[in-house]
């Protein structure tokens, strides 16, 4: 992933984080014998038929979080004033996006 252009990696990671819940209505049972793969990629739970293997952190959202953290690391190369400005604006934008998303309540309607 680090070999992708920086802007592409930022866009993909934000998309993975922000949009992975759109697929919450899809269940592993819909994939038949490949339901375990859905658990590994998207949904926490047991990998059947064995209840011993548990997926606690599915790959899609967590790879997005890791990639986003990698992208966000560049903020800490900025000077103090620039960094503070970026962090404040990013925090405000993400909080506004969350409030808007919850207010509209259309996140899981897909």
């Amino acid at each position: 992933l680090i070999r992708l252009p920086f802007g592409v990696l930022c866009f993909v990671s934000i998309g993975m984080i922000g949009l992975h819940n759109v697929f919450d209505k899809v269940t592993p049972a819909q994939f038949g014998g490949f339901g375990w793969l859905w658990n590994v990629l998207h949904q926490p739970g047991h990998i059947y038929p064995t209840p011993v293997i548990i997926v606690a952190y599915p790959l899609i959202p967590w790879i997005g979080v890791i990639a986003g953290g990698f992208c966000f690391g560049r903020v800490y190369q900025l000077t103090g004033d620039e960094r503070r400005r970026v962090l404040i604006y990013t925090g405000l934008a993400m909080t506004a996006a969350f409030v808007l998303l919850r207010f509209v309540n259309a996140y899981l309607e897909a």
Side-chain angles (χ1 to χ4, degrees):
L1 287 174
I2 62 172
R3 301 209 189 281
L4 288 174
F6 183 73
V8 171
L9 183 59
C10 290
F11 181 77
V12 168
S13 65
I14 290 169
M16 289 173 75
I17 295 167
L19 298 175
H20 81 277
N21 281 59
V22 170
F23 300 104
D24 279 353
K25 290 186 180 183
V26 177
T27 65
Q30 292 174 299
F31 293 99
F34 290 101
W36 64 270
L37 185 58
W38 187 246
N39 283 115
V40 170
L41 292 176
H42 177 74
Q43 182 177 345
H46 294 95
I47 295 181
Y48 294 104
T50 167
V52 179
I53 301 173
I54 299 171
V55 176
Y57 297 100
L59 291 177
I60 291 175
W62 283 107
I63 288 175
V65 168
I66 292 167
F70 177 80
C71 292
F72 202 68
R74 286 205 180 172
V75 171
Y76 288 94
Q77 294 175 342
L78 301 173
T79 64
D81 290 336
E82 291 174 311
R83 180 176 51 241
R84 190 172 2 293
R85 188 183 74 246
V86 168
L87 291 173
I88 288 172
Y89 287 142
T90 301
L92 289 172
M94 296 303 285
T95 302
F98 172 77
V99 170
L100 180 64
L101 192 60
R102 291 290 102 198
F103 180 74
V104 173
N105 201 24
Y107 197 51
L108 299 175
E109 298 297 324

